[in-house]
Amino acid sequence: MKVLRHIVLLIIISVSSSVINPTYSTHVIGGEIFYECLDSNLSFYRFTVKLYRDCYTGVPPYDDPIYVSVYDSLENLLIQFEMELPPDDTLENNTYNICLYAPVDICVQEAVYTADYILPPGKYHMTYQRCCRNQGIINMFNPTGQGAGWDIAIPDPSQASCNSSPYYNNYPPTIICLDAPFEYDHSATDPDGDSLVYFFCTPSDYNNGTWGIIPNPSGPPSSNFDVNYVTPYSASYPIYAPTDPFQIDPQTGWLTGTPEQLGKYVVGICVSEYRDGVLLSTNKRDFQFNIAGCLDDPLLLFSSEPDPCNNLKINFTYEGNVVATYKWDFGVDSLLNDTSILENPTYTYPDLGSYPVTLIVNEDYYCADTLTIGIVPPLPLIADFSWEKVCVYEPVNFTDQSDTNAYTGPIVGWNWDFGDGNYDLINQNTTHTYSDDDPHFVTLIIETGNNCRDTIEQLITFYPLPNIDAGEDIYVTQGEEGQLEASGGFSYSWMPPTYLNNPNIYNPTVTPTYTTGYEVTGTSIYGCLGRDDIIVKVVEPKIDIPNAFSPNDDDENDMVYLLHVGVLELLEFKIFNRWGQLVF
């Protein structure tokens, strides 16, 4: 045990008996101290001091460090140590009444100091003291001359081995509204599961003439004594509330009351822990309760901001005082589900336009309030392009027609996917020629300077080529007319135009002197071209030879003549009678 004590004494800061020169402060408005056992084998504890100060009238700021002491059962100083100032936190001014709002001139900050130490077995008290209290307190004599002292017992291991004291669950109320019923959860948690009892108690002062304005070390528990209340105030009646006096439920810590006079009041609330009916420790929190005239107007405000990459998507932000409920109607007349109960909702409008957005707060309370503001979503970022339908195998021109605005930034990138395995990742406007007549889905992805993107996909189709038919090859007797006739088109053009009466009609007449091939080009109503060809074969006229020989007139036998009447490779055999008439 002597070795452990020596270890403890080596890690503690030596006791300084010097007294700091008096420097009165007016910032202490409350606090509490408690501890937690971290390791039962080593009796390793974490000590915590919570302090509260007035942000507006409190001078000077929090001490850095603060000086905390641990005394044994005979009030011999065992340990005196420093706690460095942690980052402080400004507390929310919660009135605990949904229809009332705190005035702007109340500000409370909280600082939570901690330090870890090993204690030898025994019974101890942890203490912290500081002068002085805030000015303007109406239930105490000379508040700026009275200090604040806290002490808490650390029981002997025979009573509770490695005990942890209770601590309060919520920070104390920074404001209580005048003439309004007040309810507050002042409950605590005991890590060991001990029984807890709540009650009003008297805050402590200490002899700062002996121990100094900033005691170093803080004095023993016996140096703390009750503050001096002004009549009619006391520990059990700390706030002026004759009609509905403040009370605390001893089992739950539920605090209620209705204040009837403005002012600052110091209130002490204690929670004691019991194990098997034995008192182990008491955590005394004292705090300055500010009774103020609260506001009953929620100062209803909200703002809206388009989403950076989808400006039809609007982000709404509630900017009024704290309320219980929200009911938004985003103003789309054709819809019933354009609503939200969130504090800060987001809504995507179906189209451009002007929409009356209505917010109702505290709908089921007497302090319900309504605000309507017109919202006009800006032109959104929209990917779009146009194209002209063309005939198969002709180049298709694509023209970017995307829109943007100041929120999304200028369009700086275009990604074209033509749907046939080909791409254009550079040009805003582009051209592409397809090698087939199949429909293709073309995708355009645009990107802005703010890294916003939008995509559009369109199906590209083509005008079909006309099915032009020039007909079967024909024979024309030399010197006579032939008839051409094409089909399948809207207009036609024959080539060559030689021997044609009109090369720009579907059925020109032809009078060739020799066999000639013709090609007809047909155009559809969409201007698409189709082609076909035909051969016009020219034959020589028949030979009239009835007097080629002088047979007997009465000879009834036919004369047979072999005539070559074909043209080119054509060789025909015909049988004529003596009068030159074709008989076979």
Side-chain angles (χ1 to χ4, degrees):
M1 186 63 62
K2 291 183 179 180
V3 173
L4 179 59
R5 181 177 297 274
H6 288 162
I7 293 174
V8 172
L9 293 177
L10 285 174
I11 65 174
I12 64 175
I13 299 174
S14 60
V15 177
S16 172
S17 59
S18 61
V19 177
I20 305 298
N21 291 330
T23 303
Y24 287 88
S25 67
T26 60
H27 72 288
V28 176
I29 64 172
E32 65 173 298
I33 61 175
F34 56 92
Y35 58 89
E36 178 185 6
C37 182
L38 302 178
D39 189 325
S40 59
N41 294 324
L42 297 176
S43 297
F44 186 39
Y45 291 87
R46 173 165 295 165
F47 300 98
T48 300
V49 176
K50 284 188 177 181
L51 296 179
Y52 302 94
R53 68 181 293 269
D54 187 327
C55 313
Y56 291 146
T57 61
V59 288
Y62 283 115
D63 295 331
D64 187 15
I66 63 171
Y67 304 102
V68 180
S69 300
V70 175
Y71 288 87
D72 64 17
S73 59
L74 300 178
E75 293 197 345
N76 296 312
L77 181 63
L78 176 68
I79 303 173
Q80 184 271 324
F81 53 89
E82 298 178 356
M83 291 183 177
E84 295 182 355
L85 176 66
D88 56 41
D89 185 26
T90 300
L91 303 184
E92 177 186 356
N93 285 328
N94 191 341
T95 65
Y96 301 94
N97 186 318
I98 205 61
C99 288
L100 297 175
Y101 308 95
V104 297
D105 59 348
I106 293 177
C107 178
V108 176
Q109 289 178 328
E110 177 188 63
V112 181
Y113 297 84
T114 62
D116 298 342
Y117 279 92
I118 296 175
L119 295 181
K123 181 178 180 179
Y124 304 99
H125 276 83
M126 171 187 172
T127 68
Y128 172 69
Q129 297 169 334
R130 180 64 161 87
C131 189
C132 296
R133 295 185 181 272
N134 202 13
Q135 58 192 358
I137 297 172
I138 65 175
N139 65 343
M140 292 175 56
F141 284 111
N142 187 24
T144 58
Q146 297 196 56
W150 293 271
D151 62 85
I152 189 168
I154 304 170
D156 187 271
S158 61
Q159 285 186 306
S161 177
C162 200
N163 182 62
S164 295
S165 66
Y167 59 88
Y168 293 102
N169 297 320
N170 303 309
Y171 63 80
T174 61
I175 182 173
I176 299 178
C177 296
L178 179 68
D179 296 326
F182 176 74
E183 295 182 344
Y184 171 74
D185 179 8
H186 208 289
S187 63
T189 295
D190 188 273
D192 304 318
D194 295 324
S195 299
L196 301 180
V197 177
Y198 303 90
F199 56 96
F200 285 119
C201 52
T202 305
S204 295
D205 187 8
Y206 72 99
N207 188 339
N208 59 64
T210 300
W211 295 97
I213 302 303
I214 306 177
N216 184 10
S218 292
S222 62
S223 64
N224 292 328
F225 52 87
D226 292 345
V227 298
N228 192 2
Y229 273 125
V230 174
T231 304
Y233 301 108
S234 64
S236 60
Y237 187 72
I239 298 173
Y240 187 79
T243 304
D244 179 22
F246 277 75
Q247 302 179 53
I248 188 166
D249 188 299
Q251 295 181 332
T252 65
W254 192 253
L255 179 65
T256 61
T258 303
E260 298 182 33
Q261 179 175 296
L262 298 173
K264 302 174 182 178
Y265 300 82
V266 171
V267 179
I269 294 179
C270 288
V271 56
S272 293
E273 60 169 332
Y274 291 85
R275 186 178 303 176
D276 298 327
V278 177
L279 175 64
L280 300 181
S281 73
T282 298
N283 182 344
K284 176 189 292 187
R285 170 193 272 178
D286 76 57
F287 194 75
Q288 173 185 297
F289 283 26
N290 298 300
I291 311 301
C294 296
L295 308 174
D296 59 5
D297 184 352
L299 299 176
L300 186 56
L301 295 171
F302 68 84
S303 62
S304 63
E305 185 77 13
D307 183 88
C309 292
N310 179 6
N311 301 150
L312 288 177
K313 182 179 179 181
I314 307 297
N315 301 313
F316 294 92
T317 302
Y318 176 69
E319 296 178 342
N321 287 326
V322 176
V323 295
T325 62
Y326 307 85
K327 183 178 181 180
W328 298 83
D329 186 321
F330 300 111
V332 183
D333 291 338
S334 60
L335 298 177
L336 297 177
N337 61 348
D338 60 326
T339 59
S340 176
I341 58 173
L342 300 177
E343 178 180 358
N344 300 312
T346 294
Y347 184 72
T348 300
Y349 283 93
D351 202 351
L352 297 174
S354 179
Y355 301 92
V357 177
T358 299
L359 171 61
I360 302 174
V361 298
N362 296 338
E363 184 177 28
D364 298 326
Y365 297 82
Y366 74 85
C367 55
D369 202 359
T370 302
L371 176 64
T372 300
I373 297 178
I375 299 296
V376 180
L379 184 70
L381 173 67
I382 299 178
D384 193 16
F385 65 88
S386 63
W387 58 282
E388 293 185 4
K389 191 171 183 177
V390 298
C391 301
V392 177
Y393 310 123
E394 293 183 3
V396 183
N397 295 319
F398 298 96
T399 303
D400 173 47
Q401 292 188 332
S402 303
D403 287 319
T404 185
N405 56 58
Y407 292 96
T408 56
I411 301 173
V412 297
W414 297 264
N415 184 333
W416 296 91
D417 181 348
F418 299 116
D420 63 349
N422 293 291
Y423 304 87
D424 184 342
L425 307 181
I426 299 176
N427 296 304
Q428 178 179 3
N429 304 309
T430 188
T431 299
H432 183 63
T433 302
Y434 290 89
S435 60
D436 56 49
D437 60 354
D438 296 332
H440 294 277
F441 282 100
V442 175
T443 302
L444 170 62
I445 302 175
I446 59 173
E447 183 172 354
T448 72
N450 294 336
N451 297 320
C452 298
R453 291 187 175 187
D454 195 33
T455 302
I456 185 174
E457 183 181 74
Q458 297 190 43
L459 180 64
I460 305 302
T461 59
F462 305 94
Y463 293 124
L465 300 183
N467 185 16
I468 302 301
D469 184 6
E472 298 293 332
D473 296 346
I474 65 172
Y475 297 94
V476 177
T477 301
Q478 189 176 42
E480 295 181 358
E481 289 184 352
Q483 184 73 52
L484 303 180
E485 185 171 353
S487 62
F490 177 74
S491 62
Y492 303 88
S493 175
W494 295 84
M495 290 296 290
T498 309
Y499 307 118
L500 301 177
N501 69 324
N502 186 346
N504 296 317
I505 61 177
Y506 79 96
N507 59 345
T509 58
V510 58
T511 57
T513 59
Y514 52 86
T515 295
T516 304
Y518 290 91
E519 182 183 72
V520 62
T521 300
T523 304
S524 70
I525 59 174
Y526 305 111
C528 301
L529 302 178
R531 293 177 176 83
D532 197 16
D533 54 50
I534 188 175
I535 296 176
V536 179
K537 302 176 181 180
V538 177
V539 298
E540 295 179 3
K542 65 184 179 185
I543 300 175
D544 187 7
I545 55 171
N547 297 318
F549 301 94
S550 299
N552 294 328
D553 292 339
D554 57 356
D555 189 356
E556 295 182 357
N557 295 323
D558 291 334
M559 301 295 293
V560 179
Y561 301 90
L562 177 61
L563 300 177
H564 177 211
V565 296
V567 179
L568 300 175
E569 78 283 0
L570 180 62
L571 183 63
E572 296 184 356
F573 296 90
K574 296 186 179 181
I575 299 176
F576 297 87
N577 63 18
R578 61 182 176 176
W579 295 285
Q581 297 173 328
L582 179 66
V583 296
F584 184 78

